[in-house]
Amino acid sequence: MVVGDISTGTDVLVIGAGPGGYVAAIRAGQLDLDVTLVEKDAYGGTCLNYGCIPSKAMITASDLAHEAGHAEEMGIYADPEVEMDEMVGWKDGVVDQLTGGVEKLAKANGVELMEGRAEFADENKARVVHSGGGQGSETVEFEHAIVSTGSRPIEVPGFDFGDDPVLDSRQALALDEIPESLVIVGAGYIGMELAGVFAKLGTDVTIVEMLDSVLPGYEDDLARPVKKKAEELGVDFHFGEAASGWEESGDGITVTTENEEGTVSEFGAEKVMVAVGREPVTDTLELDNAGVETDEDGFIPTDDRARTNVEHIHAIGDVSGEPMLAHVASKEGQVAAEVIAGEPSALDYQAVPAAVFTDPEIGTVGMTETEAEEEGFEPVVGKFPFNASGRALTTGHADGFVRIVADEPSGFLLGAQIVGPEASELIAELGLAIEMGATLEDVAATIHTHPTLSEAVMEAAENALGHAIHTLNR
Amino acid sequence: MVVGDISTGTDVLVIGAGPGGYVAAIRAGQLDLDVTLVEKDAYGGTCLNYGCIPSKAMITASDLAHEAGHAEEMGIYADPEVEMDEMVGWKDGVVDQLTGGVEKLAKANGVELMEGRAEFADENKARVVHSGGGQGSETVEFEHAIVSTGSRPIEVPGFDFGDDPVLDSRQALALDEIPESLVIVGAGYIGMELAGVFAKLGTDVTIVEMLDSVLPGYEDDLARPVKKKAEELGVDFHFGEAASGWEESGDGITVTTENEEGTVSEFGAEKVMVAVGREPVTDTLELDNAGVETDEDGFIPTDDRARTNVEHIHAIGDVSGEPMLAHVASKEGQVAAEVIAGEPSALDYQAVPAAVFTDPEIGTVGMTETEAEEEGFEPVVGKFPFNASGRALTTGHADGFVRIVADEPSGFLLGAQIVGPEASELIAELGLAIEMGATLEDVAATIHTHPTLSEAVMEAAENALGHAIHTLNR
Amino acid sequence: AEEVSTGEGRVFAAPSARRVARELGVDIAAVDGSGPSGRVTEQDVRRAAESADTEGESGE
Ligand SMILES: Cc1cc2nc3c(=O)[nH]c(=O)nc-3n(C[C@H](O)[C@H](O)[C@H](O)COP(=O)(O)OP(=O)(O)OC[C@H]3O[C@@H](n4cnc5c(N)ncnc54)[C@H](O)[C@@H]3O)c2cc1C
Ligand SMILES: Cc1cc2nc3c(=O)[nH]c(=O)nc-3n(C[C@H](O)[C@H](O)[C@H](O)COP(=O)(O)OP(=O)(O)OC[C@H]3O[C@@H](n4cnc5c(N)ncnc54)[C@H](O)[C@@H]3O)c2cc1C
């Protein structure tokens, strides 16, 4: 390390400390590389500070408040009051604990932390611009770089996140009062997760979505129970409507939408949250100076070692494209670090699990039946409905099902889709099964604890084989 | 089928319709065998009617009531009231739905249902004594029999389940008022699960246990968080105390215990629940007439095809010995049916998972570190504490850990122990891993959804390999 | 060994076996699997690597 001219040298420069970057840095540290991790905002990135963690904390808390107030069926009578500022404060405490942990773990693994915005000067040099007045910048020379600058919410023309009643998901998760009413633009997973939070806290929620269904990209029968439950919670859906603008009106605002025929509709509310997707963050970086290319959507294309077109510069996480998920970012980060250390690592996983933390939850991994057909397999499908699961009934949440897709001749598992209680956890076993090259018989023959939701996984495998016990077979 | 002399013939006679018997019967029906299933009390046996299902329903419901009243930290203020008769009524509804389902599934798979108590007349004949006045009996001739008569709670001398203030777990799960105070004799899993239920509903719970810890048979560090939480809920533990009797006193009763030195202690309460273990039910059966042997504890010894000493008579479930678990009963039932149908089935599983639905839950599968050493392996252990799990923190339940035991040279997973949120579900993935012969690397390399509790499984595997991300490595 | 299922480019093998294949420079898609339904085991990969070595030595 050269000091004096405020210039530093490092084996690996990691830019951005989200679940991609901080994991890459820790892994590189473990592999005895000299690592510098630069972050311009907050350790943990979008996921820990404004995304996965805050949303899941608010989901649990709003869920508990709602459940307790709606359990007369179980003989429980309660009328919970929610202090939103305290709920948000609790959520912030969880976030602080985790981001503090990230910082400690990075240091314990020998990672050098640097606050500031990094931009490339050339292929082997970056400038780190410190924030705050007069803190200047310094130059870091690197052998390898890992770009993990993440993504940001897409702004819809007419909706400026700087305006007070217009919220992105981050701002919506930091409100200190429960809004009386809220228009949500976009019925993707972020919109649907937060619709649940606010509806359960008593907000009148209206969702406007340009496409014609909730959770575009998920199969109909997975999305249906989520939409049904949201409707039961009072969420008002308007499909085929593109949000075009908003204006103040009385105490609140009016949001204007337009459908395909050009018909204009108006929705009154206290606030509007826009969640129509996320775009890669590359404009903070001066990528050109390093010769790193982006595609037409602004993502940085990478190969199966997470390398960009410049071999010693890797890109991982949201900035490197779909699927934009924290655990994919982390996996790519591990692989990038291992590749730099000379290990024979690659992104050769068979299947990526994903979860939507709506009510009920959705968990998916691998192929759908249709995708399996397209790939040339002869899929067989096994299904088990949670209303036949003893454990599900004892929790009072028995909507949904487990579905397993396998190749019929060989029995190999190809994919699974779950909608229902703890779908996000249940999908883990199926992810392992797919990675291991397990067959339906392997899953069906494995003893599963009674009474658990995981029995539904076993039963779905048995159903595909034609001998489920707790449901009728095809 | 011969009628007239009220005598019937069947390929397979299944005696007892618990999770052992009804699963055996359904599986046999699927294999095109002619099956008769005899039950003297209620379809679903102990598990559905008085055990697994009712206890889990009451655990969920009491949990919700308790959580809602103790979530000020999350900004939730509530003071739930519980109508015990309605809670128990809800639980009964869940049970009815499931037992009704069992009956339907049995019929749909071609199983002949017969109500009554079966006893052997000889090796190929049983008498079924119908209950109720004057309904008589009938004779069933069988080629094969499956004995699945289950178990019953052990009575402690001095405590007669027929006396009003003395309860077994079944009676405790059917109370229509919350007792003000309750002495529980026995800190095994049933005692501890129900201690949680009643403590959360506001009962003053005292546990007396002859041994010196809760959950005997589980490792100390698994039992500790359960004991700690119970104490926080106000449960009062007395170890090394053998219950010796009770008597009425004032409004309630006094339970007397004695320690090793002969010192007598007294505990006042409204009721006393005795849960000190379960013993096999063979006295309803006239086993001698068929020549079927039992061991000194009354269990029916079986081989790996679930056969008794009489080759065409199988025994499964609790009556055939430890582990007395519903999912083991069901597995044995499937194997027995398949063996009878001539399939090459056997009880050749690698590991049996088990769960304790206390707060926090415990889930275990396969070997402990000590057991692995005893078996001649060179165990390596990986651990991940839930207080480093983002998902656990967002649920407000971050006590406990995941531990994985593997063979160091080969990496093969041998066992796992979990105490913490959803331990009963998380253990499923590890059960599959062990059955599949997965290595630590396989589990560590499998992408797990963020943020989920299942990430703790992956991290524990990484920890065993020395490269966990979210915890410091050994 | 049986054929591995037909889906394009898809190999049924545990992560550990796939890692060993990369380590030894074996194209795992071309390895005959001896596991259930033709699943490729780590041993299959090592065997393939050994036979490739001997082929290489004999100059193909
Ligand atoms: C509301 C919400 C809920 C979500 N829920 C989930 C979920 O449940 N599960 C899931 O898998 N995913 C979820 N996501 C997505 C998840 O947050 C992202 O996939 C994940 O954060 C991507 O990680 P990353 O490391 O690529 O980028 P990020 O987490 O976005 O981190 C990038 C970091 O780089 C920093 N940075 C950018 N430019 C520079 C620069 N030039 N110099 C220095 N630092 C820079 C940024 O400040 C940021 O901290 C959610 C997202 C949102 C918004
Ligand atoms: C409170 C409690 C909680 C429990 N929780 C769990 C849990 O969470 N998970 C778990 O795995 N296990 C649990 N168990 C244990 C579980 O209930 C037993 O392991 C399981 O029921 C055993 O199944 P079985 O089929 O062998 O016997 P049983 O379920 O006991 O069924 C035997 C049946 O045979 C009938 N029968 C007996 N003799 C005759 C005869 N001569 N003729 C006709 N019928 C006859 C009985 O009426 C009964 O219905 C729990 C038990 C209790 C008491």
Side-chain angles (χ1 to χ4, degrees):
Chain A
M1 195 195 291
V2 195
V3 198
D5 63 342
I6 345 181
S7 165
T8 313
T10 190
D11 289 349
V12 188
L13 175 67
V14 183
I15 305 176
Y22 83 74
V23 169
I26 289 175
R27 188 77 190 101
Q30 290 173 349
L31 295 164
D32 287 331
L33 294 164
D34 178 32
V35 201
T36 304
L37 174 62
V38 188
E39 169 57 54
K40 69 175 175 51
D41 174 21
Y43 296 112
T46 303
C47 182
L48 266 68
N49 293 284
Y50 318 117
C52 326
I53 295 300
S55 61
K56 267 82 261 183
M58 293 300 287
I59 287 167
T60 315
S62 58
D63 224 42
L64 175 56
H66 175 79
E67 293 274 301
H70 293 78
E72 293 86 1
E73 191 199 25
M74 291 182 179
I76 300 172
Y77 296 84
D79 196 5
E81 282 198 24
V82 171
E83 297 295 336
M84 187 66 166
D85 54 339
E86 296 179 29
M87 192 176 275
V88 167
W90 168 75
K91 177 264 290 177
D92 290 340
V94 168
V95 168
D96 288 348
Q97 188 171 343
L98 289 166
T99 55
V102 165
E103 213 176 317
K104 261 189 240 140
L105 289 164
K107 285 182 185 155
N109 283 285
V111 175
E112 177 109 1
L113 294 173
M114 200 178 273
E115 284 172 44
R117 183 173 55 75
E119 54 186 42
F120 287 104
D122 64 29
E123 267 200 26
N124 286 96
K125 224 181 285 162
R127 205 168 18 250
V128 176
V129 186
H130 298 299
S131 60
Q135 289 202 43
S137 70
E138 68 190 284
T139 300
V140 182
E141 283 187 57
F142 58 83
E143 299 281 319
H144 303 269
I146 299 178
V147 178
S148 45
T149 48
S151 65
R152 63 165 74 92
I154 296 176
E155 272 194 0
V156 170
F159 296 85
D160 182 334
F161 291 134
D163 290 333
D164 187 53
V166 179
L167 310 171
D168 61 9
S169 55
R170 167 182 174 174
Q171 293 164 319
L173 286 164
L175 291 174
D176 55 10
E177 276 180 49
I178 303 171
E180 288 215 357
S181 51
L182 178 68
V183 170
I184 296 180
V185 179
Y189 83 91
I190 294 177
M192 289 301 294
E193 286 185 2
L194 293 193
V197 168
F198 287 105
K200 287 182 177 178
L201 293 176
T203 302
D204 273 331
V205 178
T206 303
I207 297 194
V208 296
E209 162 63 50
M210 221 162 66
L211 303 176
D212 63 356
S213 69
V214 303
L215 300 175
Y218 283 91
E219 290 164 292
D220 265 4
D221 59 351
L222 293 175
R224 206 174 306 126
V226 174
K227 174 157 178 263
K228 188 176 134 235
K229 174 74 188 199
E231 282 172 338
E232 283 167 21
L233 291 169
V235 176
D236 196 17
F237 288 97
H238 297 271
F239 296 104
E241 296 286 342
S244 50
W246 68 277
E247 52 180 27
E248 311 223 356
S249 81
D251 276 0
I253 59 170
T254 299
V255 174
T256 318
T257 66
E258 232 182 276
N259 69 8
E260 265 202 336
E261 286 90 53
T263 316
V264 171
S265 303
E266 294 192 338
F267 303 94
E270 196 179 317
K271 310 225 176 237
V272 55
M273 180 182 93
V274 178
V276 297
R278 298 180 62 83
E279 61 189 12
V281 173
T282 50
D283 55 1
T284 56
L285 268 176
E286 306 286 354
L287 280 177
D288 287 348
N289 291 341
V292 174
E293 285 164 11
T294 55
D295 67 17
E296 65 261 35
D297 299 317
F299 292 111
I300 305 176
T302 51
D303 67 8
D304 72 341
R305 318 265 146 147
R307 288 178 300 216
T308 68
N309 63 306
V310 180
E311 203 176 305
H312 67 281
I313 301 183
H314 291 70
I316 61 173
D318 284 7
V319 78
S320 71
E322 295 284 353
M324 295 206 257
L325 293 168
H327 42 287
V328 174
S330 296
K331 181 67 173 186
E332 291 170 349
Q334 284 178 310
V335 168
E338 289 167 6
V339 167
I340 290 173
E343 297 209 352
S345 285
L347 297 167
D348 76 336
Y349 43 78
Q350 305 283 339
V352 174
V356 183
F357 294 80
T358 40
D359 183 359
E361 292 183 355
I362 292 177
T364 59
V365 64
M367 300 178 202
T368 63
E369 185 177 9
T370 313
E371 286 164 352
E373 267 162 18
E374 285 164 8
E375 296 274 326
F377 291 101
E378 293 172 42
V380 58
V381 160
K383 206 169 156 177
F384 187 79
F386 282 114
N387 65 16
S389 151
R391 184 57 176 139
L393 290 172
T394 65
T395 67
H397 296 281
D399 265 2
F401 57 83
V402 173
R403 178 168 52 217
I404 294 184
V405 179
D407 179 48
E408 181 138 37
S410 64
F412 286 129
L413 258 67
L414 302 172
Q417 298 86 38
I418 306 179
V419 55
E422 303 297 340
S424 62
E425 302 294 347
L426 297 177
I427 205 69
E429 180 186 359
L430 290 157
L432 181 74
I434 292 173
E435 289 299 333
M436 291 296 297
T439 62
L440 287 170
E441 188 187 345
D442 292 327
V443 176
T446 295
I447 303 183
H448 285 67
T449 316
H450 183 75
T452 60
L453 299 167
S454 71
E455 290 174 287
V457 169
M458 171 182 75
E459 292 265 357
E462 289 177 328
N463 178 249
L465 293 167
H467 61 74
I469 296 295
H470 290 93
T471 190
L472 292 179
N473 295 289
R474 298 157 312 138
Chain B
M1 195 194 289
V2 195
V3 198
D5 63 340
I6 346 179
S7 165
T8 312
T10 190
D11 290 349
V12 188
L13 176 69
V14 182
I15 305 175
Y22 83 75
V23 169
I26 289 175
R27 189 77 191 102
Q30 289 173 348
L31 294 164
D32 287 330
L33 294 163
D34 178 33
V35 202
T36 303
L37 174 62
V38 188
E39 169 57 53
K40 69 174 176 51
D41 174 21
Y43 296 112
T46 303
C47 182
L48 267 67
N49 293 283
Y50 319 116
C52 327
I53 295 299
S55 61
K56 267 81 261 184
M58 293 301 287
I59 287 167
T60 315
S62 58
D63 224 42
L64 175 56
H66 175 79
E67 292 274 301
H70 294 78
E72 293 87 0
E73 190 200 26
M74 291 183 179
I76 300 171
Y77 296 85
D79 196 6
E81 282 197 24
V82 171
E83 297 296 337
M84 188 66 166
D85 53 339
E86 295 178 31
M87 193 175 274
V88 167
W90 167 75
K91 178 264 289 177
D92 289 340
V94 168
V95 168
D96 288 347
Q97 187 171 342
L98 288 166
T99 55
V102 165
E103 213 175 317
K104 262 189 240 141
L105 288 164
K107 285 182 185 154
N109 283 285
V111 175
E112 176 108 3
L113 295 173
M114 200 179 273
E115 284 171 45
R117 183 174 55 76
E119 54 187 43
F120 287 104
D122 65 30
E123 265 200 25
N124 287 96
K125 222 180 288 159
R127 206 168 18 251
V128 177
V129 186
H130 298 298
S131 59
Q135 289 200 43
S137 70
E138 69 190 286
T139 300
V140 181
E141 283 187 57
F142 58 83
E143 299 280 318
H144 303 268
I146 299 177
V147 178
S148 46
T149 47
S151 65
R152 64 165 73 93
I154 295 175
E155 273 193 358
V156 170
F159 296 84
D160 183 334
F161 292 133
D163 290 333
D164 186 54
V166 179
L167 311 171
D168 61 10
S169 55
R170 167 183 174 173
Q171 293 164 318
L173 287 163
L175 292 174
D176 56 11
E177 274 180 51
I178 302 172
E180 289 217 359
S181 51
L182 178 67
V183 169
I184 296 180
V185 179
Y189 83 92
I190 294 176
M192 289 302 294
E193 286 186 1
L194 293 193
V197 168
F198 286 105
K200 286 181 178 181
L201 293 176
T203 302
D204 273 331
V205 178
T206 303
I207 297 193
V208 295
E209 162 63 50
M210 220 162 67
L211 303 176
D212 63 357
S213 69
V214 304
L215 300 174
Y218 284 91
E219 290 165 291
D220 265 3
D221 59 353
L222 294 175
R224 207 174 305 125
V226 174
K227 173 157 179 264
K228 189 177 132 236
K229 175 75 187 198
E231 282 172 338
E232 282 166 22
L233 292 168
V235 176
D236 195 17
F237 288 97
H238 297 271
F239 296 103
E241 297 286 343
S244 50
W246 67 278
E247 52 181 25
E248 311 224 356
S249 80
D251 275 0
I253 59 171
T254 299
V255 174
T256 318
T257 66
E258 231 183 278
N259 69 7
E260 265 201 338
E261 287 90 54
T263 315
V264 171
S265 303
E266 294 190 340
F267 302 95
E270 197 180 317
K271 311 226 174 236
V272 57
M273 180 182 93
V274 178
V276 297
R278 299 180 60 84
E279 61 190 11
V281 173
T282 50
D283 55 1
T284 57
L285 268 176
E286 306 286 355
L287 280 176
D288 288 348
N289 291 342
V292 174
E293 286 164 10
T294 55
D295 67 18
E296 65 261 35
D297 299 316
F299 292 110
I300 306 176
T302 51
D303 67 10
D304 71 345
R305 320 266 147 146
R307 288 179 300 216
T308 67
N309 63 307
V310 181
E311 202 176 304
H312 67 282
I313 300 182
H314 292 70
I316 61 174
D318 284 7
V319 78
S320 70
E322 295 284 352
M324 295 206 256
L325 293 167
H327 42 289
V328 174
S330 295
K331 181 68 174 185
E332 291 169 350
Q334 283 177 310
V335 169
E338 290 167 5
V339 168
I340 291 173
E343 297 208 353
S345 285
L347 297 167
D348 73 339
Y349 44 78
Q350 305 283 330
V352 174
V356 183
F357 294 80
T358 39
D359 183 0
E361 292 183 356
I362 292 177
T364 58
V365 64
M367 299 178 204
T368 63
E369 184 176 10
T370 313
E371 286 164 353
E373 267 163 17
E374 285 164 8
E375 295 277 324
F377 292 100
E378 293 171 42
V380 58
V381 160
K383 206 169 157 177
F384 187 79
F386 282 114
N387 65 17
S389 151
R391 184 59 176 138
L393 290 172
T394 65
T395 67
H397 296 282
D399 266 1
F401 57 83
V402 173
R403 178 168 51 217
I404 295 184
V405 180
D407 179 47
E408 181 138 39
S410 64
F412 286 128
L413 260 66
L414 301 173
Q417 298 85 38
I418 306 179
V419 56
E422 303 296 343
S424 62
E425 303 292 348
L426 296 177
I427 205 69
E429 180 186 359
L430 289 158
L432 181 75
I434 293 173
E435 290 296 335
M436 290 294 299
T439 63
L440 288 170
E441 185 186 352
D442 293 328
V443 175
T446 295
I447 303 183
H448 285 66
T449 316
H450 183 75
T452 60
L453 300 167
S454 70
E455 290 174 288
V457 169
M458 170 181 75
E459 292 264 359
E462 289 177 330
N463 179 249
L465 292 167
H467 60 73
I469 297 294
H470 290 94
T471 190
L472 291 180
N473 295 289
R474 299 157 310 138
Chain C
E2 292 171 57
E3 280 286 293
V4 183
S5 186
T6 53
E8 287 181 23
R10 184 66 188 269
V11 174
F12 293 92
S16 45
R18 284 179 263 144
R19 190 258 308 153
V20 170
R22 285 194 302 275
E23 209 164 69
L24 301 178
V26 169
D27 174 11
I28 196 166
V31 176
D32 275 344
S34 65
S37 291
R39 175 162 59 219
V40 178
T41 67
E42 190 179 317
Q43 280 314 309
D44 296 333
V45 171
R46 292 191 186 283
R47 228 173 284 126
E50 277 164 28
S51 63
D53 279 353
T54 44
E55 272 171 40
E57 277 156 26
S58 62
E60 318 235 322

